[in-house]
Amino acid sequence: MDVLSDALAAMRTGRTRSARTEVRAPWGLRFPETTGTTFHVVLQGSCLLLAGGDAPPLELGPGDVVFLRQGNAHALADAPDTPLTDFVPERTAPSSPVGQVRVDGPGPQTTMVCGAYQLDRTRPHPLLGELPELVHLPARPGRHPELGRLVDLLAAELDRGRPGSDGIVPSLVDAMLLYILRAWVEERAAASPEASGWARALTDPAVGRALRAIHAGPDRPWTVAGLAALGGLSRSVFAQRFTALVGQPPMTYLTWWRMTSAGRLLREPGASVRAVARRVGYTSEFAFAKAFKREFGLAPGAYRRPVSPAA
């Protein structure tokens, strides 16, 4: 996988939950704080995002997408003073990833997709750590056309209720997270071409190529000189640029990613410590265990959790 996909895969802990939300004014929905990240897509009509505190209401229209990185408590409403009720989707089964919310009223209708991505924030990838708490991607002609087409597909699936929608909608919603992050990376890099950070790192010819190589082959015996050669830079120039953009030296990031990958692999059914060590570049099980314990505070064997046969 590429760097962006890997960053999300390392944090995914469960299925995305979403709900078709069809409301008629007056209406107001209260969303509690969640351990994941929250998103909303306006398919029809308009509403206000009430983030709380001193933040002014944010107007949302058709095609707009918002992403709340920390999953903080917030609300959506037709007007700032409309009373709020809890957002509680109805589901055909408790395990169903797609639910429905309806609020009937005499006023204009708004249709949305609201939900949450289940992401483990105990060991977040630094790329996601740079995201603002609120990412707002308004629908504008020519802006992020792929995301716009995906929103259109999502709207069509929810409107028609055709066979297979329960499988298609979660996949579209999962894909939308990658489109949201890609859009943010591209906007950030374009707005600040000389700035540091992950948006620039991913689009930098030399550093981006090195990051892709690390993620494609964490088991390879990478050196700073070898990574620098991929981008046609000297060792010293590459190391300085990588550190400035990523926030840590190349070998430090390589180790961090190897251990992050190892943590995910260790919790897969049937994974052995020896096999995981080899997959992340360690020929010595002892050296891997030492590096892993230094990173996680636990030995690899203790870090693994039992997986039930039904999981």
Side-chain angles (χ1 to χ4, degrees), residues 289-306:
K290 184 177 180 181
F292 189 91
K293 187 172 184 178
R294 185 167 57 245
E295 191 77 17
F296 284 85
L298 289 172
Y303 181 83
R304 285 186 299 189
R305 59 180 177 223

Side-chain angles (χ1 to χ4, degrees), residues 6-307:
D6 266 349
L8 288 180
M11 297 177 65
R12 296 302 287 265
T13 60
R15 298 185 71 184
T16 300
R17 307 276 280 183
S18 63
R20 175 188 171 88
T21 305
E22 191 173 295
V23 290
R24 289 184 177 273
W27 62 273
L29 296 173
R30 182 189 302 110
F31 295 82
E33 183 176 2
T34 176
T35 56
T37 60
T38 310
F39 70 91
H40 303 289
V41 184
V42 180
L43 304 178
Q44 174 190 348
S46 62
C47 65
L48 296 176
L49 173 69
L50 309 173
D54 298 329
L58 176 63
E59 295 183 11
L60 303 177
D64 281 13
V65 177
V66 290
F67 174 80
L68 288 84
R69 177 174 61 90
Q70 292 286 356
N72 291 340
H74 61 285
L76 295 174
D78 69 306
D81 55 351
T82 300
L84 303 176
T85 59
D86 290 338
F87 177 78
V88 183
E90 295 181 0
R91 302 185 186 276
T92 55
S95 61
S96 175
V98 183
Q100 185 166 340
V101 171
R102 290 182 63 93
V103 177
D104 292 322
Q109 177 176 312
T110 297
T111 305
M112 304 173 289
V113 179
C114 304
Y117 298 105
Q118 302 304 311
L119 301 178
D120 181 5
R121 295 204 297 261
T122 59
R123 191 179 173 84
H125 191 281
L127 187 157
L128 273 75
E130 288 189 5
L131 286 169
E133 165 52 23
L134 174 65
V135 176
H136 175 211
L137 299 171
R140 294 174 185 165
R143 186 183 188 189
H144 310 306
E146 297 90 352
L147 179 59
R149 286 194 286 270
L150 190 146
V151 170
D152 290 341
L153 279 173
L154 193 56
E157 283 299 325
L158 290 169
D159 281 343
R160 295 172 186 170
R162 297 165 64 186
S165 286
D166 283 351
I168 293 172
V169 169
S171 297
L172 291 176
V173 170
D174 280 342
M176 188 170 64
L177 178 54
L178 283 168
Y179 278 108
I180 290 170
L181 296 180
R182 179 197 285 173
W184 176 81
V185 165
E186 291 175 347
E187 286 197 354
R188 182 78 175 268
S192 306
E194 301 304 321
S196 61
W198 274 88
R200 279 288 297 121
L202 293 177
T203 56
D204 182 87
V207 175
R209 190 171 298 166
L211 286 168
R212 289 190 294 273
I214 287 171
H215 280 251
D219 58 328
R220 294 186 59 182
W222 294 112
T223 63
V224 176
L227 291 170
L230 294 176
L233 297 178
S234 70
R235 183 184 184 281
S236 59
V237 170
F238 167 77
Q240 184 178 16
R241 183 182 296 183
F242 189 102
T243 304
L245 295 181
V246 174
Q248 50 189 327
M251 292 297 101
T252 302
Y253 179 77
L254 173 62
T255 300
W256 183 89
W257 179 245
R258 281 174 168 171
M259 294 301 102
T260 299
S261 300
R264 183 172 78 248
L265 293 169
L266 281 168
R267 288 182 170 172
E268 291 183 354
S272 70
V273 174
R274 177 177 296 179
V276 170
R278 289 178 177 173
R279 286 182 65 178
V280 297
Y282 286 82
T283 56
S284 165
E285 189 175 334
F286 174 78
F288 166 71
K290 184 177 180 181
F292 189 91
K293 187 172 184 178
R294 185 167 57 245
E295 191 77 17
F296 284 85
L298 289 172
Y303 181 83
R304 285 186 299 189
R305 59 180 177 223
V307 179

